[in-house]
Amino acid sequence: MSGPSLMDSLFQRSLEDIIKGLRQQLIGEQAFISKALDEIRKEIKSTDLSTKSTALLKLSYLSNLHFHDMSFAAFPALEVLSSPRFSHKKIAYHAISFSFHDSTPVLLLITNHLRKDLNSTNEFEVSLSLQCLSRIANVDLARDLTPEVFTLLSSNKLYVRKRAVAVVLRVFEKYPDSVRVCFKRLVENLENSDPQILSSVVGVFSELACKDPRSYLPLAPEFYKILVDSKSNWISIKVLKIFSKLAPLEPRLAKRVVEPVCDLLRNTGAKSLLFECIRTVVTSLSEYESAVRLAVGKVREFLMDDDPNLKYLGLQALRIVAEKHLWAVSENKEVVIKSLSDADPNIKIESLRLVMAMVSEHNVSEISRVLVNYALKSDPVFCNEILGSILSTCSRNLYEIIVDFDWYVSLLGEMSRIPHCQMGEEIENQLIDIGLRVKDVRPELVRVARYLLIDPALLGNSFLHSVLSAAAWASGEYVEFSRNPLELMEALLQPRTSLLPPSIRGIYIQSAFKVLVFCLHTCFVRGGSIVPSASLNNLPAGVSASASYESFDEFSVENGADVTVVHGQTRASAPITKESIVNLLNLVELALGPLLGSHDVEVQERARNLLGIVDLTKPEVLNSSVQEKDDSEGKGVETSQIIKLMHDAFSKELGPVSLSAQGKVSLPDGLVLKENLGDLEMICGDIEPPSSNSFSFGSPYEEKDGLSFSNLQIKEDSEQSNESTSLLAEHRKRHGLYYLPSGKSELISNDYPPANDPTLQCDINDNDDNLVKITAESLVPKRKPNHGKPRPVVVKLNEVDEKPVAMKQPESRDGSLSGAVRDVLFGREDIPPTSSQSNLSNKPSSKRKGKEKQHTDPHLESKENVIDDGNSSSRRKDRSHGKERRHRSPRKKNFEERKDTDQKEKEKSRRHHGRHKSRQRAEEPLKVTAQTPVIPDFLL
Amino acid sequence: MGIRFILMVNKQGQTRLAQYYEWLTLEERRALEGEIVRKCLARNEQQCSFVEHRNYKIVYRRYASLFFLVGVDNDENELAILEFIHLLVETMDRHFGNVCELDIMFHLEKAHFMLDEMVMNGSVVETSKANILSPIQLMEKAS
């Protein structure tokens, strides 16, 4: 330790020197500060308190404004604190309130200093230590200093008392048992007429009531009096805050309060108070039509004002009204819409929220139209804000407000074409989601997808890549709705796709694969049975297999018409002729050939698959068109079979799968899930994506087996195939969705709400044969849209009974705090003062008292409970509250024990009820009746 | 806790006073101040004084070269906070006489003391200028 030298203290730099030095910046800020810190480290070890305190002062400054750690000064701060000089104390308290927190090691050493200063005769010292306590109090400090705070609550120095009142909030929060000691005095301060005290105590209650309003209902009369009498706007605002929490809990209170609030609303000149009145009315008194009218009138004045602050707040208030009184928004529609182009982005966003609040199923298209126009004109940030809110509003509750999905899908397409659009991923999700859920919209979806895919310009915009991947996926998956698969193929393989990231390129190639299979199937298998007999006979004989493509051109020009007619019967799509197939195959070869060497595994493998099928079918195509029918028959059957199988595989519908679906599958006998599948996952789970070769060529056979079995329900002897089909289902699922960015499938299934719609359950039975049920229906609960309804059915899933989401329990602290408050409040009103009660006020050490109570109360209270039924309902509640607390904080065992004995006779169910009542704020009537005895009727 | 923090920041984005009513680590504070200052200083006079940030609001007001930023809970009354800021400025003005950034820089401790008189535990406890200033004047006399 460097000795305290006279030189050190003589030449110590003061805080002012530091500040000046910082301003001059002769050697750079960082260098200067680290030099100063070095000095401080030395000086703070000095034994001279002046030197030490100056060092501490400098350190607090640097910590406060330049973020330098000052935890090393914790102990020196305590030393300075012990100085008899006020100016030193001030510096120390200042430093401590800045730097101490719950995990400061020397925190507990401060207790005695604080206690000493709390008992000081110098009111400024008391105030400093109260101030400090309000910042750093933890459980122990709060517990140990409760008696001092209690005393100060009735100090005759206003200056001290108002601070003691304010500090109570922190003490309660940290150590709820202090409520039993201090609450009564706190309430007494409510009746104080001094504005300083009142302002402080009302502030405390408004914070307390925020956390647990119900406990403070019994104090409503006091608050009411303050509301009516208050001259200070600050106090009125706080009281209004309290009432806006209390009024919803007690209708009679609301009725009582509405008049004075309206009076204030009419008469006050202060905008802040006016706004608070408005807010109180719209949040808590919204059943009172006249009050709401009045408030909305004032809101209108706000909206018309030039001050952007008032405008913003007006819009905000309007948004609160909108939940219950939509008319208020419609009345101010013009202002709201006009605000969309305000200079202030915050106001714009606020008015956007309001506009979205007005959206309903009738006006959604009109509003979206307006908004998309705004989006086109506005800056990128706001543009995406608009698009984001359209997307989220429209998709809310499974597209609840959308009736015309065709319109919505084309809107999505349009939105993605807006230049600033960065909502690609959301649009992507919705496109796929809608595709999966709404069958009727698929033709339009494919149309929109085509529209996006064929535009080469879009490929250059990286924000749109995810939209394009959705478009590619949709057009591949629902290619049967495409008017012109050939054109689609060209779009999917266009050269500019090289701009796409590999993952999306993989999706493109996979979609191309689907399209190709579809074309081949249409041409050969479906048409194959008819076409060859009809058109192959007309083939000019003698054209060799090695014929050039030109000759094919000629040939198909002749035959094109015939084939088209044949296909025209099946679907109204562009003609798929042999010639076009050949072109298609060439196109694929041309486009994907270079990708065989791609460095990206995905792309390379996809390309290889696609080229594989091209290799397989190309000779066939050439042969079948050229050679004699008889010659090619043997091989042709084989190829067309493969094509058919693949087509079947792809045409199986991908249903949305609920997250919990797997849990619904009962485990077949003999299937050892853990061993086999565990290994499997380890082997192929993350190493390699499922190869589509093995899938498309090998499995369809099995799948077909599994299908028939699954329709017959699972039989014991079908284990083998069942296993394979479920694997396959898994496989298929992954396969289909795999190439969408990871997390996609999860995202989709996450979105499913628990929809227990019985009608949908029936729909399963209506499924026609085309809908392939992969394994048991329970695994993949798919629903087909009902065609009869005007709004297409949106597929929802039967989630497993979702447990009622456990209500978010308030933190244990809050719980115990409000429990304590209730004990005191209801105890105050219900229980006549007993010996233990008087103990309570005399000996403010709560721990001891708790024990005493434990001995005296049980008999007394249990007796009361038996006799006095009127009061017990309310008390029961807070007892059960206490019960609950016991599990969470063992620290308060002794209090709980008492309650335990109280509780014993009460049945469990009741206790549960009680607890729920105190937690669930939604069930008004029940609770209100439970509360009624507590509130003196004459006041309400 | 109504008020979470009070900041005074100059036009260059340098913090001149920082008072937090909940414990934040230095790193959290540095990040928070950076974000807020960026958000608020970019705004102009025609725009409103309220900014949503994370899960709370910032109410701010500019006086000459100094921005007063107050972070408050969502149900706090914005207009009242503006009045509070104005009261704070008036109080400092009365004490320093034509208060400016330098006054706050060189008398940071006093500025904190005034704030402590006005706000405790995040709620405004004192709104009378005379009451706020009397302890400070007493102390100045004593020293």
Side-chain angles (χ1 to χ4, degrees):
Chain A
M1 196 190 223
S2 63
S5 70
L6 190 61
M7 296 298 279
D8 273 353
S9 33
L10 263 184
F11 293 100
Q12 185 183 24
R13 289 201 281 180
S14 69
L15 176 60
E16 206 172 316
D17 297 333
I18 299 256
I19 297 169
K20 278 181 185 156
L22 272 173
R23 272 170 61 76
Q24 281 164 352
Q25 300 241 336
L26 290 178
I27 52 169
E29 188 178 283
Q30 283 312 316
F32 184 84
I33 289 178
S34 57
K35 191 158 161 270
L37 277 173
D38 285 343
E39 288 169 10
I40 289 170
R41 274 174 212 276
K42 234 180 274 161
E43 291 161 9
I44 212 156
K45 290 177 188 153
S46 155
T47 49
D48 174 38
L49 278 180
S50 300
T51 314
K52 212 190 250 299
S53 65
T54 307
L56 194 61
L57 181 63
K58 292 191 284 185
L59 186 57
S60 323
Y61 182 89
L62 292 179
S63 166
N64 190 233
L65 296 186
H66 297 274
F67 309 107
H68 286 284
D69 181 41
M70 63 180 290
S71 54
F72 68 89
F75 194 75
L78 286 179
E79 290 174 316
V80 178
L81 191 59
S82 63
S83 160
R85 289 188 56 187
F86 182 77
S87 58
H88 293 170
K89 259 193 207 306
K90 206 171 74 172
I91 292 169
Y93 272 124
H94 186 69
I96 287 170
S97 13
F98 272 118
S99 60
F100 279 30
H101 53 101
D102 282 359
S103 50
T104 300
V106 295
L107 188 60
L108 284 186
L109 295 179
I110 204 179
T111 317
N112 280 325
H113 290 295
L114 284 175
R115 184 174 287 139
K116 199 174 122 253
D117 286 337
L118 286 174
N119 289 321
S120 158
T121 49
N122 179 342
E123 56 183 331
F124 297 113
E125 280 182 8
V126 181
S127 147
L128 277 180
S129 61
L130 280 173
Q131 184 77 41
C132 181
L133 189 62
S134 82
R135 304 281 293 280
I136 64 165
N138 66 352
V139 184
D140 299 299
L141 280 176
R143 187 190 55 227
D144 296 341
L145 297 174
T146 298
E148 278 73 22
V149 174
F150 172 76
T151 318
L152 293 176
L153 274 178
S154 53
S155 159
N156 50 14
K157 291 174 187 155
L158 286 183
Y159 183 69
V160 168
R161 189 147 149 195
K162 72 177 180 198
R163 267 146 207 286
V165 167
V167 94
V168 155
L169 185 62
R170 172 98 183 192
V171 174
F172 278 8
E173 190 186 312
K174 294 289 170 188
Y175 180 64
D177 282 345
S178 60
V179 170
R180 287 168 226 283
V181 182
C182 301
F183 198 76
K184 207 165 163 233
R185 280 211 178 160
L186 186 65
V187 173
E188 280 165 9
N189 277 310
L190 269 180
E191 279 138 33
N192 199 302
S193 56
D194 183 87
Q196 293 186 44
I197 303 288
L198 210 51
S199 146
S200 178
V201 72
V202 168
V204 169
F205 275 108
S206 90
E207 291 299 322
L208 286 173
C210 244
K211 286 178 185 136
D212 174 43
R214 185 160 294 282
S215 304
Y216 305 94
L217 269 178
L219 294 173
E222 277 88 347
F223 297 140
Y224 183 81
K225 200 163 152 286
I226 296 172
L227 178 69
V228 179
D229 296 344
S230 163
K231 298 274 184 301
S232 152
N233 288 341
W234 296 94
I235 295 176
S236 302
I237 288 173
K238 297 263 178 197
V239 179
L240 281 172
K241 276 193 196 306
I242 297 175
F243 276 117
S244 70
K245 294 287 184 305
L246 298 189
L249 302 174
E250 172 56 69
R252 289 173 304 164
L253 182 60
K255 200 173 160 203
R256 184 78 192 187
V257 164
V258 70
E259 246 334 286
V261 173
C262 285
D263 283 345
L264 274 179
L265 203 55
R266 279 188 212 99
N267 302 327
T268 183
K271 286 277 191 285
S272 54
L273 183 55
L274 178 61
F275 179 61
E276 197 58 46
C277 292
I278 292 174
R279 189 138 69 177
T280 309
V281 169
V282 297
T283 51
S284 310
L285 303 169
S286 53
E287 303 90 81
Y288 297 88
E289 190 79 20
S290 61
V292 174
R293 287 244 164 239
L294 187 62
V296 170
K298 295 287 180 186
V299 168
R300 197 173 169 78
E301 285 172 23
F302 274 31
L303 290 175
M304 296 305 186
D305 204 292
D306 284 337
D307 183 352
N309 289 342
L310 295 185
K311 202 173 199 178
Y312 176 81
L313 295 177
L315 289 170
Q316 238 180 14
L318 215 48
R319 183 148 61 94
I320 306 173
V321 193
E323 285 162 26
K324 285 182 186 145
H325 302 275
L326 210 55
W327 54 264
V329 189
S330 342
E331 272 181 15
N332 296 297
K333 206 163 151 191
E334 306 80 45
V335 193
V336 173
I337 298 279
K338 220 178 89 201
S339 308
L340 276 177
S341 39
D342 198 275
D344 183 350
N346 289 2
I347 290 181
K348 288 202 281 191
I349 286 178
E350 206 55 43
S351 59
L352 175 63
R353 286 173 185 166
L354 260 181
V355 172
M356 293 329 282
M358 287 193 281
V359 171
S360 72
E361 96 187 26
H362 309 292
N363 58 15
V364 60
S365 68
E366 182 198 343
I367 289 183
S368 303
R369 176 74 28 230
V370 173
L371 287 180
V372 167
N373 282 338
Y374 266 101
L376 275 168
K377 285 184 286 182
S378 38
D379 57 299
V381 177
F382 190 56
C383 167
N384 284 297
E385 201 72 47
I386 292 179
L387 297 184
S389 50
I390 296 179
L391 287 170
S392 64
T393 307
C394 290
S395 63
R396 197 172 48 212
N397 263 343
L398 283 181
Y399 314 97
E400 197 177 42
I401 56 168
I402 306 291
V403 175
D404 183 355
F405 276 91
D406 285 356
W407 162 79
Y408 186 57
V409 168
S410 53
L411 178 73
L412 287 177
E414 201 178 315
M415 277 160 69
S416 44
R417 283 173 160 272
I418 291 175
H420 295 309
C421 173
Q422 292 172 12
M423 305 302 293
E425 286 185 15
E426 181 58 26
I427 296 178
E428 173 198 15
N429 287 342
Q430 293 197 9
L431 282 176
I432 292 175
D433 196 36
I434 293 175
L436 289 174
R437 288 175 192 276
V438 190
K439 203 176 181 190
D440 293 357
V441 83
R442 287 173 191 167
E444 176 68 13
L445 181 62
V446 171
R447 200 189 65 76
V448 170
R450 168 193 167 272
Y451 175 63
L452 291 170
L453 289 175
I454 59 169
D455 187 346
L458 298 183
L459 286 164
N461 180 350
S462 63
F463 290 115
L464 289 187
H465 284 169
S466 45
V467 180
L468 290 177
S469 85
W473 179 82
S475 53
E477 187 64 23
Y478 307 119
V479 58
E480 70 262 30
F481 299 109
S482 169
R483 282 175 189 278
N484 188 349
L486 304 176
E487 177 198 49
L488 199 59
M489 194 68 154
E490 278 174 35
L492 287 171
L493 296 175
Q494 62 181 291
R496 270 173 75 90
T497 52
S498 59
L499 295 170
L500 293 168
S503 59
I504 293 176
R505 209 156 185 212
I507 299 172
Y508 264 67
I509 299 172
Q510 177 67 5
S511 297
F513 191 65
K514 289 176 186 167
V515 176
L516 180 67
V517 168
F518 174 78
C519 293
L520 288 170
H521 182 261
T522 319
C523 185
F524 289 101
V525 181
R526 176 126 8 116
S529 53
I530 315 164
V531 176
S533 54
S535 58
L536 283 184
N537 290 343
N538 300 335
L539 283 179
V543 182
S544 71
S546 59
S548 66
Y549 293 131
E550 292 93 76
S551 65
F552 269 90
D553 284 343
E554 289 165 26
F555 141 73
S556 45
V557 169
E558 291 166 26
N559 279 331
D562 286 1
V563 182
T564 315
V565 174
V566 174
H567 288 292
Q569 290 168 358
T570 50
R571 62 191 65 248
S573 57
I576 301 177
T577 63
K578 288 214 161 43
E579 170 256 355
S580 57
I581 292 283
V582 172
N583 281 343
L584 205 58
L585 295 176
N586 287 330
L587 175 69
V588 172
E589 275 183 332
L590 191 70
L592 296 186
L595 290 183
L596 288 180
S598 165
H599 289 300
D600 189 86
V601 187
E602 278 314 313
V603 173
Q604 192 200 40
E605 191 169 0
R606 294 288 133 205
R608 216 167 264 285
N609 287 339
L610 191 42
L611 287 173
I613 194 165
V614 169
D615 286 345
L616 185 79
T617 48
K618 197 165 183 186
E620 172 77 14
V621 174
L622 297 175
N623 281 340
S624 68
S625 51
V626 175
Q627 285 178 359
E628 291 299 310
K629 205 170 131 199
D630 301 332
D631 293 350
S632 63
E633 202 140 77
K635 207 184 169 204
V637 168
E638 194 188 303
T639 317
S640 62
Q641 181 120 34
I642 289 171
I643 292 174
K644 187 170 181 309
L645 288 170
M646 277 197 299
H647 178 74
D648 286 352
F650 281 138
S651 60
K652 269 160 205 162
E653 205 173 296
L654 278 178
V657 180
S658 131
L659 262 188
S660 54
Q662 191 134 34
K664 290 180 185 166
V665 188
S666 57
L667 194 66
D669 296 337
L671 177 63
V672 192
L673 271 179
K674 269 182 192 157
E675 279 180 27
N676 292 340
L677 292 183
D679 290 352
L680 198 67
E681 201 165 27
M682 238 170 48
I683 295 165
C684 63
D686 39 14
I687 303 170
E688 192 76 1
S691 131
S692 86
N693 263 337
S694 70
F695 161 67
S696 33
F697 291 121
S699 21
Y701 294 101
E702 285 169 332
E703 190 168 22
K704 287 200 76 151
D705 287 352
L707 170 64
S708 54
F709 277 123
S710 68
N711 283 345
L712 300 171
Q713 291 306 321
I714 302 167
K715 284 180 182 171
E716 288 214 341
D717 58 348
S718 70
E719 278 163 22
Q720 184 57 42
S721 61
N722 194 38
E723 186 183 350
S724 59
T725 41
S726 64
L727 263 179
L728 190 71
E730 188 74 12
H731 199 112
R732 172 91 179 103
K733 205 167 77 195
R734 286 180 65 181
H735 177 76
L737 290 173
Y738 185 84
Y739 291 96
L740 303 173
S742 59
K744 165 59 52 50
S745 59
E746 233 177 70
L747 241 171
I748 288 176
S749 30
N750 264 336
D751 286 340
Y752 301 136
N756 277 318
D757 194 346
T759 57
L760 288 176
Q761 195 65 43
C762 307
D763 282 349
I764 290 187
N765 305 332
D766 301 336
N767 285 350
D768 50 311
D769 299 336
N770 291 337
L771 181 74
V772 182
K773 301 160 199 157
I774 310 178
T775 74
E777 282 169 357
S778 54
L779 176 65
V780 186
K782 284 190 219 163
R783 261 114 227 183
K784 287 201 63 191
N786 220 334
H787 296 277
K789 289 181 187 168
R791 177 180 187 254
V793 172
V794 179
V795 179
K796 299 176 187 176
L797 283 178
N798 265 335
E799 202 81 332
V800 196
D801 287 0
E802 204 164 284
K803 285 170 214 147
V805 182
M807 301 209 38
K808 255 226 151 177
Q809 305 252 349
E811 280 173 34
S812 61
R813 279 270 151 65
D814 290 353
S816 46
L817 174 56
S818 55
V821 171
R822 277 160 210 225
D823 278 355
V824 173
L825 263 181
F826 298 144
R828 191 170 68 106
E829 311 225 356
D830 292 347
I831 313 175
T834 63
S835 57
S836 67
Q837 195 85 24
S838 49
N839 258 345
L840 190 139
S841 40
N842 292 342
K843 265 202 246 164
S845 162
S846 49
K847 255 199 172 167
R848 241 170 298 138
K849 198 171 1 95
K851 260 180 197 155
E852 268 175 57
K853 264 197 138 178
Q854 189 190 346
H855 295 305
T856 53
D857 272 19
H859 310 286
L860 196 140
E861 289 213 340
S862 58
K863 239 182 253 165
E864 263 187 18
N865 278 335
V866 178
I867 306 163
D868 174 4
D869 225 31
N871 285 342
S872 59
S873 65
S874 66
R875 192 138 12 99
R876 204 168 282 147
K877 221 169 35 160
D878 58 60
R879 293 291 175 255
S880 56
H881 212 98
K883 278 286 308 174
E884 194 183 35
R885 207 187 331 150
R886 188 171 62 105
H887 302 296
R888 282 181 268 148
S889 57
R891 200 164 44 75
K892 288 183 283 296
K893 264 247 165 74
N894 38 2
F895 281 97
E896 306 315 326
E897 230 124 46
R898 170 167 60 92
K899 273 153 214 162
D900 253 356
T901 33
D902 287 353
Q903 266 311 343
K904 255 173 196 162
E905 305 101 333
K906 293 169 194 162
E907 325 117 17
K908 256 195 182 150
S909 65
R910 232 193 210 165
R911 197 189 297 153
H912 278 292
H913 264 153
R915 189 199 307 169
H916 275 294
K917 262 188 268 168
S918 61
R919 297 287 183 202
Q920 288 178 358
R921 279 149 207 188
E923 299 176 359
E924 230 67 316
L926 252 178
K927 274 185 283 180
V928 169
T929 49
Q931 283 293 344
T932 27
V934 179
I935 304 167
D937 267 320
F938 58 93
L939 274 163
L940 287 169
Chain B
M1 173 149 333
I3 297 176
R4 292 170 181 231
F5 56 81
I6 298 168
L7 298 175
M8 297 182 196
V9 178
N10 69 8
K11 264 194 307 195
Q12 289 78 40
Q14 292 165 307
T15 309
R16 289 300 176 215
L17 177 147
Q19 175 74 293
Y20 290 83
Y21 295 95
E22 58 190 343
W23 169 256
L24 294 176
T25 64
L26 289 175
E27 272 321 302
E28 288 168 334
R29 283 177 35 193
R30 189 199 295 270
L32 182 94
E33 285 174 27
E35 286 168 34
I36 292 173
V37 166
R38 227 172 297 130
K39 255 190 185 174
C40 295
L41 266 57
R43 296 170 61 80
N44 62 32
E45 298 284 330
Q46 286 85 50
Q47 301 176 343
C48 70
S49 309
F50 318 120
V51 177
E52 288 177 25
H53 185 72
R54 301 198 195 166
N55 54 345
Y56 49 86
K57 296 178 296 202
I58 296 155
V59 179
Y60 72 94
R61 193 161 196 171
R62 182 179 166 171
Y63 289 88
S65 64
L66 213 54
F67 284 83
F68 290 71
L69 307 133
V70 181
V72 293
D73 282 342
N74 274 320
D75 56 356
E76 196 59 55
N77 186 319
E78 291 91 339
L79 295 173
I81 297 295
L82 280 180
E83 279 170 33
F84 163 76
I85 294 177
H86 192 68
L87 175 70
L88 175 64
V89 176
E90 278 182 351
T91 310
M92 291 198 296
D93 204 55
R94 182 183 285 190
H95 182 77
F96 295 113
N98 241 333
V99 68
C100 68
E101 195 183 330
L102 280 181
D103 288 318
I104 294 167
M105 281 181 71
F106 283 100
H107 303 280
L108 185 64
E109 215 201 354
K110 269 184 209 156
H112 271 297
F113 199 89
M114 282 179 220
L115 266 185
D116 286 350
E117 291 294 312
M118 298 173 75
V119 184
M120 234 184 125
N121 239 337
S123 61
V124 179
V125 290
E126 184 56 77
T127 52
S128 137
K129 270 171 268 183
N131 285 346
I132 298 166
L133 290 176
S134 66
I136 297 183
Q137 282 153 1
L138 265 179
M139 277 173 221
E140 280 188 346
K141 250 179 235 167
S143 60

